[in-house]
Amino acid sequence: MRSFWTPSLVFSGAVLLRIVLLFYGLVQDAYSPLKYTDIDYFVFTDAARYVSRGHSPYDRETYRYTPLLAWLLLPTSWPGVGWFSFGKAVFSIADIFTGWLLALILRSRAGGSMNRESSMKFASIWLLNPMVATISTRGSSEGLLGVMVISLLWAVTNRRIKTAGVLLGLAVHFKIYPFIYAPALLVHLSWPRFPDEKAQTISKKYLAPLLSHENIELAASSLITFAGLNAAMYAMYGYPFLQHTYLHHVTRIDHRHNFSPYNTLLYLSSSSPSSAQTVKLESLAFIPQLLLSGVLIPFVLAKRDLPDTMLAQTFAFVALNKVCTSQYFIWFLLLAPLYLSHSSLVSRPRLGLAAAALWIGAQGLWLWQGYELEFLGHSTFVPGLWGSGLLFYVVNMWILGIIVGDIGKAAPEIVAQRNSKVES
């Protein structure tokens, strides 16, 4: 009997799933008061319409993205009903391409040198995941970022350094958070020289090994790409580009549909006059987040396993983010297939089932409290939303501990295999 886990069947299923959801979305949008299309997609397409008329995409209120996204979606402004879904199709194709790259990495030494059938099983966690397909077909652009991140990982593990630098610069321009991967990439490319245990000083032990030719090449190409894109966008759109694409996220207050433990505090902050706040929580919340995801995790773990370290970084970044929505879960789900192939969450089924049950259950508890607040008008801020947010945070930290523990327990020969250079 032919196995289902062949590239032709898995990719056909992934494409079919997205086609079905795209057409289902058209029906729901036409006949239901509850629209299938994500509200953000209307923001994207409105911005594209402004650009098509020679205006700035930032003339569209709440557009907080790079102009590149509005440019990409210009066909949605063309005449004809069908063109409105152009962006959803692009995002869905990006999903499929991401899955193909995942399968390639899983078959490489960095991904464990899996056979084709096993690689397709784990790539299917992304390709056949209804949550991933739904988010893209509703019009979320996370699929584009997924392509950039996985392409970046593929380029680094194949020692395509300049390509990796360009992809890193593009990804950070597109959405800020991928910059956390830069330290992990530098440490990984410095293996096994980092840290230099024979060095007598801290600078020679930790800094000197990072100043390799590959690292300098990566840093230069990424900075040139990032700076070049930003300079071009600023030349065209001025300060609104900086404000809406970057600065807005530092002081952003978003307390709706936010699983973060900061949720209730952000709500209180949003209702207080700005002059009454001596210390703005929304501007300080990133400190513990970046310390863990951008410093501690990469410098301790990246020399052992780059894909798993990037997962741990992303998981920590999302869990500690002051705004944590379901859409952001895609960021770490993207890297999950590369970790689950050798994870204790799979090798110990009871642990994996307990983690899944607690993670889903904590979300369900928060959503119940959110439903009572937004639909029934009951005040559930404390202890309801606040307590469920804290519970979800604790569950996330527990799962993060499992991920970090798995990376730390990897056998030396496995570390050597995953970090070995690909022969060109």
Side-chain angles (χ1 to χ4, degrees), residues 33-89:
L34 182 63
K35 303 303 180 185
Y36 181 82
T37 300
D38 194 312
I39 187 64
D40 284 344
Y41 190 69
F42 292 104
V43 176
F44 302 159
T45 54
D46 286 349
R49 194 172 300 111
Y50 276 111
V51 171
S52 71
R53 296 170 181 171
H55 299 294
S56 167
Y58 302 107
D59 289 344
R60 202 307 183 179
E61 190 177 356
T62 73
Y63 184 78
R64 315 290 190 191
Y65 312 90
T66 169
L68 294 181
L69 181 58
W71 294 0
L72 178 65
L73 299 185
L74 273 175
T76 63
S77 65
W78 296 350
V81 177
W83 285 113
F84 177 75
S85 298
F86 172 81
K88 298 179 182 180

Side-chain angles (χ1 to χ4, degrees), residues 102-182:
L102 280 169
L104 283 184
I105 296 173
L106 285 164
R107 289 200 291 271
S108 71
R109 282 180 286 184
S113 301
M114 289 187 178
N115 59 42
R116 178 167 292 184
E117 181 174 337
S118 295
S119 70
M120 292 312 304
K121 285 182 181 179
F122 284 97
S124 295
I125 296 172
W126 174 266
L127 286 166
L128 300 180
N129 192 312
M131 178 181 175
V132 173
T134 299
I135 284 178
S136 289
T137 55
R138 291 187 67 216
S140 169
S141 62
E142 302 304 331
L144 293 177
L145 191 65
V147 168
M148 297 177 201
V149 171
I150 292 300
S151 297
L152 168 64
L153 178 59
W154 174 87
V156 170
T157 55
N158 284 274
R159 281 336 199 244
R160 310 287 178 88
I161 305 303
K162 290 181 181 177
T163 301
V166 171
L167 287 167
L168 178 60
L170 176 62
V172 177
H173 170 79
F174 194 86
K175 206 148 204 170
I176 303 171
Y177 92 87
F179 83 91
I180 64 174
Y181 301 137

Side-chain angles (χ1 to χ4, degrees), residues 250-262:
V250 177
T251 58
R252 177 184 180 188
I253 298 178
D254 188 349
H255 55 84
R256 289 184 176 272
H257 316 122
N258 182 1
F259 293 102
S260 168
Y262 295 112

Side-chain angles (χ1 to χ4, degrees), residues 280-297:
K280 291 184 178 294
L281 171 70
E282 61 273 16
S283 299
L284 299 177
F286 69 90
I287 295 176
Q289 175 192 30
L290 296 186
L291 181 64
L292 182 60
S293 64
V295 179
L296 296 179
I297 289 176

Side-chain angles (χ1 to χ4, degrees), residues 321-369:
N321 202 27
K322 64 182 178 184
V323 178
C324 178
T325 69
S326 298
Q327 199 166 289
Y328 294 173
F329 300 159
I330 292 294
W331 297 354
F332 58 75
L333 186 59
L334 169 70
L335 296 157
L338 303 170
Y339 160 71
L340 290 175
S341 61
H342 52 274
S343 164
S344 60
L345 295 174
V346 172
S347 63
R348 298 168 58 190
R350 289 186 179 179
L351 178 65
L353 289 173
L358 287 172
W359 193 72
I360 295 171
Q363 286 183 67
L365 179 61
W366 190 99
L367 291 170
W368 172 41
Q369 298 298 315

Side-chain angles (χ1 to χ4, degrees), residues 192-211:
R193 300 181 304 276
F194 179 90
D196 185 353
E197 300 296 347
K198 298 179 181 179
Q200 301 298 316
T201 63
I202 293 178
S203 62
K204 289 183 178 180
K205 182 176 182 179
Y206 293 102
L207 296 181
L210 296 177
L211 299 177

Side-chain angles (χ1 to χ4, degrees), residues 173-255:
H173 170 79
F174 194 86
K175 206 148 204 170
I176 303 171
Y177 92 87
F179 83 91
I180 64 174
Y181 301 137
L185 301 180
L186 296 176
V187 171
H188 171 78
L189 291 172
S190 301
W191 186 90
R193 300 181 304 276
F194 179 90
D196 185 353
E197 300 296 347
K198 298 179 181 179
Q200 301 298 316
T201 63
I202 293 178
S203 62
K204 289 183 178 180
K205 182 176 182 179
Y206 293 102
L207 296 181
L210 296 177
L211 299 177
S212 65
H213 173 74
E214 286 184 322
N215 281 355
I216 293 172
E217 190 176 38
L218 177 72
S221 55
S222 60
L223 287 173
I224 290 171
T225 302
F226 180 70
L229 287 170
N230 286 341
M233 297 301 110
Y234 184 80
M236 284 184 279
Y237 300 111
Y239 182 75
F241 158 70
L242 292 179
Q243 172 60 35
H244 295 291
T245 306
Y246 299 115
L247 302 180
H248 162 77
H249 298 282
V250 177
T251 58
R252 177 184 180 188
I253 298 178
D254 188 349
H255 55 84

